[in-house]
Amino acid sequence: MQNIENIKVLGLGCKSCHAFLENVKEAVKEKGLNIEVEYVTDLEKIMAYGAMSMPVLVINDQVVTMGKVLSSKEIMKYL
């Protein structure tokens, strides 16, 4: 299993992005990880990841998923 150094959710502040952020936080908590989930809404930073559809899950600066609101259970597969 990889060592997770950072987790980011990229989004533009919409309802589904906030729901996704909460799901990611829940998954991190369930996994027992002591990592703060960063929520990035700055469009320039989002574009730097090449993200075209929100929300986006970024782990260790690698885009893992984009454009889908995954459940916390689905997110746990990536952690």
Side-chain angles (χ1 to χ4, degrees), residues 28-69:
V28 167
K29 190 172 143 187
E30 285 180 38
K31 272 284 202 184
L33 300 173
N34 190 18
I35 296 175
E36 189 173 327
V37 179
E38 185 182 345
Y39 186 44
V40 179
T41 57
D42 183 305
L43 196 53
E44 278 188 35
K45 289 179 183 175
I46 291 171
M47 296 308 280
Y49 284 97
M52 292 297 154
S53 56
M54 305 302 134
V56 180
L57 176 60
V58 178
I59 299 176
N60 291 344
D61 296 317
Q62 297 292 314
V63 173
V64 180
T65 68
M66 79 169 68
K68 291 184 278 204
V69 178

